[in-house]
Amino acid sequence: MQPARKINVGLIGFGMAGQVFHAPTISAVDGLRLLKVTARRPDQQELLATRYPDATGVTAAEEIIHADDIDLIVIATSNDVHYALAKAALSAGKHVVVEKPFTNTSAEADELIALARRHNRLLSVYHNARWNSDYLTIKKIIAGGRLGELVSFEARYDRFRNTLKENAWREMNLPGSGILYDLGAHLIDQSLQLFGIPEAINADLRMQRPGAQAVDDFELILHYPQLKVTLKSSMLVKEPSPRYALYGLQGAFVKYGIDPQEAALKAGASPLGDPEWGKEPEAIWGKLNVLEDGADHIAYVESERGDYPAFYRNVCDAVRGRAALAVTATAARNVIRIIELAEQSWREKRTIVLDNEKLLDC
């Protein structure tokens, strides 16, 4: 049997997201070929030629969208053009992956989902945090049942940068800017995967740094029948809090530290052929403390292995008809809708009940 032809990938956007998250993980998947990349600046062109010599650099997104030899387009641009580029790529008959957050509004997401269905193309969103070592670990802890019924789930995704980054679109007063759309999209997606659609939501959104134009601190509370989910993020956390804290009727699991993959990718490492890829150091393993048989049992739990390339392995298999998409566009659309409801909650200073929301396919 002849091996399957590799799926040719066009990457639109070779800034931080394209260089750090997408190009290395695409290149680590055997069934994908990084064929064309938009590289407008000389430094981008030099980096592309050094790290991915088999890929062709182009200067315009249209050179990828309308290329006959491209099967899958990955959009790793600023949020303001996700919708327009995804619409153009789907209309050109390409399969599409969009960097998170999917779109700036749920209405835009709905339009893209309908367009993908009309053209019978796959549409996914890069919610790579589903393959973080820490998240995979808490999934295992919850599934194991040793905490008993979960009553409180707390998750944080913090940074410390007490000054604004000059000319950074994420920190400007623009649609889709701020950490609620950035880091919050990860936390919301993880929570929807774990617990489904909440009954209600309330939010506290703030701009805390001098001169801030976009949200740089948030707290969301998602209400479930027997569970309180608290999601927090701030740009002013110098001393870290637990990344995750899970409290159940039988005990707790508390986890500090963060998955090592992002730092490794930013340092120029590649997951390709690295047997230690995604492995957390023992120093940040989570602590399990449960009451069993009338006695306390305390243990540090080895973290699961992180695996960002798993996202693109799944996309490759889905394009070939071998698997269902792990990250559906509908699930990513739900994240955007939860963000919209959080903004409404803060604007109106009230808890928003989701009675009439059609949020499915988590």
Side-chain angles (χ1 to χ4, degrees):
M1 180 182 293
Q2 291 290 328
R5 179 183 71 83
K6 291 200 174 189
I7 295 165
N8 290 332
V9 181
L11 174 59
I12 300 176
F14 201 53
M16 194 277 284
Q19 291 175 18
V20 172
F21 292 107
H22 293 278
T25 50
I26 291 167
S27 299
V29 175
D30 184 57
L32 301 178
R33 177 189 289 114
L34 186 62
L35 193 65
K36 292 182 180 177
V37 179
T38 56
R40 296 185 177 90
R41 303 195 311 262
D43 62 306
Q44 293 175 336
Q45 294 166 3
E46 182 179 353
L47 182 65
L48 180 66
T50 300
R51 291 189 180 175
Y52 309 101
D54 294 332
T56 300
V58 299
T59 57
E62 291 74 20
E63 295 180 72
I64 290 177
I65 291 171
H66 299 295
D68 292 336
D69 53 354
I70 293 295
D71 307 300
L72 169 67
I73 290 179
V74 176
I75 297 167
T77 61
S78 56
N79 298 352
D80 58 329
V81 291
H82 283 188
Y83 164 75
L85 289 172
K87 182 177 181 180
L90 289 167
S91 298
K94 311 299 186 184
H95 301 293
V96 174
V97 167
V98 184
E99 171 61 44
K100 69 88 202 130
F102 184 12
T103 52
N104 290 335
T105 69
S106 59
E108 290 177 343
D110 289 337
E111 184 177 340
L112 293 179
I113 290 167
L115 185 62
R117 287 172 179 161
R118 282 202 303 275
H119 287 274
N120 194 29
R121 299 289 91 181
L122 294 182
L123 174 61
S124 187
V125 178
Y126 192 62
H127 277 293
N128 61 312
R130 294 191 193 183
W131 288 273
N132 276 356
S133 54
D134 43 21
Y135 174 67
L136 294 172
T137 302
I138 63 163
K139 276 183 67 177
K140 185 176 181 179
I141 292 292
I142 293 171
R146 293 183 68 186
L147 300 180
E149 181 180 356
L150 203 62
V151 297
S152 179
F153 175 90
E154 301 173 6
R156 297 195 65 111
Y157 205 154
D158 295 317
R159 298 273 196 261
F160 181 75
R161 190 166 69 239
N162 60 4
T163 58
L164 303 180
K165 202 171 184 179
E166 190 175 356
N167 298 320
W169 60 265
R170 284 187 177 88
E171 298 192 336
M172 297 178 182
N173 183 19
L174 297 170
S177 294
I179 63 172
L180 181 58
Y181 278 85
D182 184 17
L183 304 179
H186 284 311
L187 295 178
I188 293 167
D189 180 66
Q190 289 181 348
S191 298
L192 296 183
Q193 292 303 303
L194 290 171
F195 309 117
I197 303 301
E199 294 180 338
I201 180 173
N202 57 285
D204 183 293
L205 313 179
R206 301 189 181 241
M207 291 178 279
Q208 295 185 327
R209 293 172 298 170
Q213 301 178 45
V215 170
D216 60 8
D217 178 278
F218 70 77
E219 178 175 359
L220 309 185
I221 297 179
L222 308 184
H223 301 261
Y224 295 86
Q226 303 297 327
L227 172 66
K228 176 184 176 182
V229 171
T230 305
L231 310 177
K232 295 183 180 183
S233 182
S234 173
M235 296 297 289
L236 291 174
V237 176
K238 181 65 170 171
E239 185 66 25
S241 298
R243 179 88 164 90
Y244 294 99
L246 286 62
Y247 302 103
L249 295 181
Q250 294 300 118
F253 180 75
V254 178
K255 172 77 172 66
Y256 285 82
I258 194 166
D259 176 278
Q261 294 177 94
E262 179 174 342
L265 290 167
K266 284 181 175 177
S270 169
L272 185 62
D274 182 353
E276 297 296 303
W277 185 261
K279 186 176 181 180
E280 281 195 353
E282 187 174 350
I284 60 170
W285 289 358
K287 182 179 182 180
L288 180 69
N289 186 341
V290 295
L291 180 65
E292 293 176 334
D293 301 322
D296 291 332
H297 294 265
I298 299 174
Y300 286 88
V301 179
E302 182 176 358
S303 298
E304 296 294 293
R305 190 73 67 93
D307 188 10
Y308 287 169
F311 172 87
Y312 276 112
R313 289 198 299 271
N314 171 259
V315 168
C316 180
D317 287 341
V319 169
R320 289 176 171 164
R322 297 175 180 172
L325 274 176
V327 182
T328 67
T330 306
R333 180 264 185 206
N334 290 347
V335 172
I336 303 303
R337 186 60 187 142
I338 292 292
I339 290 174
E340 291 173 335
L341 294 171
E343 291 174 328
Q344 180 186 351
S345 170
W346 179 236
R347 190 169 57 246
E348 299 177 1
K349 300 298 185 286
R350 68 184 181 93
T351 298
I352 303 296
V353 178
L354 276 68
D355 277 348
N356 298 317
E357 290 294 326
K358 295 180 179 178
L359 303 180
L360 303 172
D361 188 22
C362 282

